[in-house]
Amino acid sequence: MGLPKQLLMGNEAIALGAVEAGVNIATAYPGTPSSEVLGTLATKAKEYGFYAEWSVNEKVAMEIAGGAAYAGAKALVAMKQVGLNVAADPLMSLAYLGVQGALVVVVADDPGPHSSQTEQDTRTFAKFAKLPVFDPATPEEARAMTVAAFELSHRHGMAVFLRPTTRVCHACAGVELGELRPGKVQTAPGFQKDPRWVIFPRLSYQRHQWLEQQRELLSEEFSAAPWNFVLPGGRLGIVTSGVSYLYVREAVAQSGVDATILKIGTPYPLPERKIREFLDRVDAVLVVEELDPVLEEGIKQVAFAAGRVLPIYGKRTGHLPYAGEYNVGMVLQALQRVSQGDDAVQLESAPAAELPELPVRPPVLCAGCPHRASFYAAKQATKGLDAVFSGDIGCYTLGNAPPLSMLDTCLCMGAGITVASGLQLAEPGRTHLAFIGDSTFFHTGVPGLLNAVYNRIPMKLIILDNSTTAMTGHQPHPGIGKTAMGEAVQPISIEDLVRGCGVEFVRKADPFNLKDAVAAIKEAIAFAGPAVVIMERPCIALFKKTSVYAVDEDKCINCGRCLRELGCPAMAKAEKPQIHATCYGCGLCAQVCPVGAIGEVAL
Amino acid sequence: MSGFSIIIAGVGGQGTVLASRVLAQAAVAQGLAARTAENIGMAQREGSVQSHVRIGQPDFGPLIPAGGADLMLAFEPAEAVRSLGILKPGGVALVNTAAIHPVTVTLGKSRYDEAEMRRFLQEKAPGVKFVPGTELAVEAGNIKTVNVVMLGAAAGLGILPFGPEVLLETLLAMIPAKVLDVNKRAFELGMGAAGV
């Protein structure tokens, strides 16, 4: 008997599934939509006796989890899909070497994308790495697959992927948990010295063969596994995986189409025997899967090898899109086209009610956000310079929006510094400024800065130190002085780290002191070599506000400068500019006002 | 399959996530299946946000299809208009009257016609009910309790698959002890506003 159902977010269900499986070591770097996996594990670690950490980046997290698994630990590492790119180097080699304990690699994909740079598909990555992957449709299934992934990883001695998507990670459902098991960090049998842990070309050749044998073995095992099942029906077949399975169920119920559904829970290796049996039941197949046509191509290969010729509809035939998230309506339309023919279906979706003109409402920097002040200071300091601003990944990516418009490039974690370096080399006469957050600086900013110093590239760097990893939910990092498990540790000084990289010009500034912040950036620009300004102010989520600001309507000359230049969401236009209750008291507007009409008022 | 679907629309920071969790938790506590889908991450910060809550339909996904919601809780009028396509024809919409003007409007880059939003909602959603949610939240003692006022208003309609006392009890079990009173007041004020 399980415990009563609890309402859990998919990421919480994965974390608790790992505790059920007896996880010993868990590591991660935060990234939407994956962050709550380690966030939840960190809150359970002390109670259940295992270890959890926020690692400095995904490569570090992967290697630590891998090393622990060499010694027999049940390890979990979590990240978002682009984090896997950072961790790809150790992962590809770990795939060859295998593990002794267990290694479950949780990688959250983000169809849409809602909060990511790419729509890359981790099922494709799993195929590339030749590692098995579980693809859950719901939080319930994510929990069950997590438990199964640990077991599979241990039994086969190989790393195993779990690939939830946003609509699993950030969906809640009633989940029935098994018993949570106290794990301990140290596990038997411990690390055994053996040449198998030292990757050399000869070993790689052998392990490559082993990986291909595993593919065949696992394909057969998965054909009999509960993760791949058929809901019997008519001669139209639907193959689906992940959350799309639920859209298929709803579209089939709504349309009344009589279809046989094959739900795939292990997109690699595909359960080939199961697919052949399914193909025997149907005359045509519609494949419904978000992102890459992993199932679609796999089904075609299995059908071809089995000598079956039948129409297979999906992305390649234009029935469903490659990009973006799916929904019931899209599946319904594809289903109608397949079951009734293209002519029977009105392809234009029913005209939605004519909506009135709606205000555009993009996400913006919060009222009182120190990044707004830092960007504004950089804008003032570079007036007339035709400077280029290279940004990075974090809340401060929102500095791109008008009226700040302080982001000319954004590529990936850590790339602000290095892209600015490349631009600087190609345009020696121009001012190139990079922005990076504190957590991102620790993540992958340091090598780029070292490189700029070593190669004497005179780009300028502004580190936006808000004492947290804000965008993903305020995880600690090495500069905070606290670990994931809540232990106090010596914080690592960003200033010392920057000086340790050999940077000669280092200034700290308070972005809420506009004059000083502008002066520091101007000095950095005037300096001959690479130069760094560290803007220090905590994120507003870290403290209670102590004051707000108000406009003195008698003094205000209604020039509109405060509204026009800052884009603060606490300010609105009325007869004269107004400051709402959401003001957090940063005081930037008061420093921008040319007539001193904005002042601090007590709460 | 019968079920009950609720679309919650608002602006990042208004507490749509807590509202959907409370509704789903209340359903699970009653032994009903529940699924939610939420915006977490970049869209939170003053952007348009939606939460989906589906009760009693375990085989369907967390996203409510177009025209599939029995009830809309809109914490902001323009966001009600933006998400109206998800409401069933004949579905009930509870809309907070207080508009939040985005920065794009302040900068003159887009327009917000409050009267037009109201007119449109009244015309396209005859079941619409306007709730002075923000005013009631201030009256309860904290402007941040708009989400709880709207939950109270939803409970007051008497169409949820569970009673108001279940929803209130669930809410109070999910929030810190020091804000129990203000949230209880907000919930009750909301109930009163919808019960007319």
Side-chain angles (χ1 to χ4, degrees), chain B residues 142-187:
Chain B
N142 189 336
I143 193 168
K144 285 187 181 166
T145 58
V146 172
N147 54 352
V148 173
V149 171
M150 297 305 289
L151 280 179
L157 291 172
I159 59 171
L160 296 177
F162 34 74
E165 64 292 338
V166 172
L167 194 60
L168 179 58
E169 198 183 304
T170 307
L171 165 75
L172 297 181
M174 288 170 74
I175 56 176
K178 60 180 179 186
V179 294
L180 288 184
D181 287 343
V182 63
N183 279 283
K184 192 159 179 272
R185 276 198 300 278
F187 189 89

Side-chain angles (χ1 to χ4, degrees), chain A residues 247-264:
Chain A
Y247 304 149
V248 165
R249 290 293 300 270
E250 189 159 2
V252 165
Q254 264 195 42
S255 65
V257 170
D258 186 18
T260 296
I261 300 169
L262 170 61
K263 154 67 157 95
I264 302 273

Side-chain angles (χ1 to χ4, degrees), chain A residues 373-386:
Chain A
S374 296
F375 283 127
Y376 187 74
K379 195 166 186 163
Q380 297 305 306
T382 53
K383 258 191 184 158
L385 284 182
D386 189 27

Side-chain angles (χ1 to χ4, degrees), chain A residues 279-294:
Chain A
L279 290 174
D280 287 341
R281 292 165 170 264
V282 299
D283 301 322
V285 176
L286 172 66
V287 185
V288 185
E289 59 187 324
E290 290 174 326
L291 306 180
D292 291 353
V294 172

Side-chain angles (χ1 to χ4, degrees), chain B residues 2-78:
Chain B
S2 73
F4 196 85
S5 294
I6 306 158
I7 179 75
I8 305 174
V11 176
Q14 283 192 304
T16 55
V17 173
L18 177 69
S20 68
R21 295 283 168 84
V22 173
L23 288 162
Q25 179 66 51
V28 169
Q30 297 298 294
L32 299 165
R35 294 200 183 284
T36 72
E38 285 141 3
N39 300 115
I40 297 174
M42 193 180 254
Q44 271 183 297
R45 296 166 210 278
E46 305 265 349
S48 298
V49 291
Q50 275 185 348
S51 285
H52 298 236
V53 184
R54 305 192 82 183
I55 298 168
Q57 292 167 317
D59 293 335
F60 294 173
L63 293 180
I64 306 165
D70 300 276
L71 171 65
M72 170 194 275
L73 297 182
F75 295 2
E76 206 279 341

Side-chain angles (χ1 to χ4, degrees), chain B residues 84 87 90-93 120-129:
Chain B
L84 194 62
L87 190 65
V92 180
F120 181 85
L121 288 168
Q122 277 163 338
E123 186 192 318
K124 303 289 177 186
V128 69
K129 238 174 193 173

Side-chain angles (χ1 to χ4, degrees), chain A residues 267-573:
Chain A
Y268 183 85
L270 279 174
E272 296 191 6
R273 180 167 55 80
K274 190 93 189 169
I275 292 168
R276 284 195 298 274
E277 289 164 10
F278 162 79
L279 290 174
D280 287 341
R281 292 165 170 264
V282 299
D283 301 322
V285 176
L286 172 66
V287 185
V288 185
E289 59 187 324
E290 290 174 326
L291 306 180
D292 291 353
V294 172
L295 302 182
E296 187 175 337
E297 288 171 0
I299 303 288
K300 280 181 182 168
Q301 281 179 19
V302 174
F304 184 84
R308 273 302 304 279
V309 178
L310 78 173
I312 295 174
Y313 305 105
K315 295 172 199 281
R316 293 268 191 240
T317 54
H319 285 74
L320 285 157
Y322 287 90
E325 212 178 14
Y326 283 8
N327 58 46
V328 173
M330 286 161 79
V331 179
L332 210 50
Q333 197 177 77
L335 205 52
Q336 283 171 348
R337 281 178 66 188
V338 168
S339 61
Q340 298 165 34
D342 283 356
D343 299 339
V345 183
Q346 220 185 323
L347 286 182
E348 259 100 321
S349 49
E354 281 284 312
L355 290 184
E357 186 187 341
L358 281 166
V360 180
R361 202 188 298 276
V364 294
L365 295 170
C366 300
C369 175
H371 299 332
R372 177 178 293 102
S374 296
F375 283 127
Y376 187 74
K379 195 166 186 163
Q380 297 305 306
T382 53
K383 258 191 184 158
L385 284 182
D386 189 27
V388 178
F389 306 106
S390 286
D392 221 297
I393 307 292
C395 285
Y396 49 96
T397 313
L398 297 172
N400 73 321
L404 293 169
S405 306
M406 286 295 284
L407 205 81
D408 298 313
T409 82
C410 181
L411 184 67
C412 65
M413 292 285 285
I417 297 170
T418 31
V419 166
S421 297
L423 290 167
Q424 187 74 69
L425 289 172
E427 294 186 309
R430 204 168 180 183
T431 300
H432 286 279
L433 224 69
F435 294 96
I436 194 167
D438 42 352
S439 186
T440 309
F441 181 63
F442 287 115
H443 178 278
T444 34
V446 177
L449 184 59
L450 264 175
N451 187 75
V453 172
Y454 169 51
N455 290 302
R456 301 194 298 170
I457 304 169
M459 50 76 63
K460 316 299 170 193
L461 173 63
I462 297 177
I463 300 178
L464 305 167
D465 180 4
N466 65 351
S467 302
T468 189
T469 315
M471 180 62 101
T472 48
H474 304 286
Q475 294 79 11
H477 62 61
I480 304 298
K482 204 178 85 179
T483 67
M485 290 165 71
E487 278 161 40
V489 289
Q490 183 65 36
I492 289 156
S493 151
I494 292 178
E495 185 186 356
D496 290 352
L497 188 53
V498 168
R499 290 192 193 280
C501 288
V503 179
E504 287 170 28
F505 182 103
V506 187
R507 293 279 183 285
K508 282 202 211 177
D510 175 1
F512 290 169
N513 185 335
L514 184 59
K515 224 174 101 189
D516 282 5
V518 171
I521 297 169
K522 279 188 169 169
E523 259 188 88
I525 291 169
F527 187 76
V532 174
V533 178
I534 305 166
M535 294 289 187
E536 288 183 332
R537 265 285 168 177
C539 171
I540 64 159
L542 302 180
F543 65 95
K544 278 201 152 172
K545 65 180 170 187
T546 53
S547 70
V548 293
Y549 281 72
V551 179
D552 181 337
E553 296 211 358
D554 294 334
K555 281 193 195 165
C556 173
I557 54 168
N558 221 356
C559 66
R561 192 169 162 192
C562 54
L563 297 175
R564 206 171 50 240
E565 297 197 355
L566 301 180
C568 174
M571 304 195 82
K573 202 172 170 176

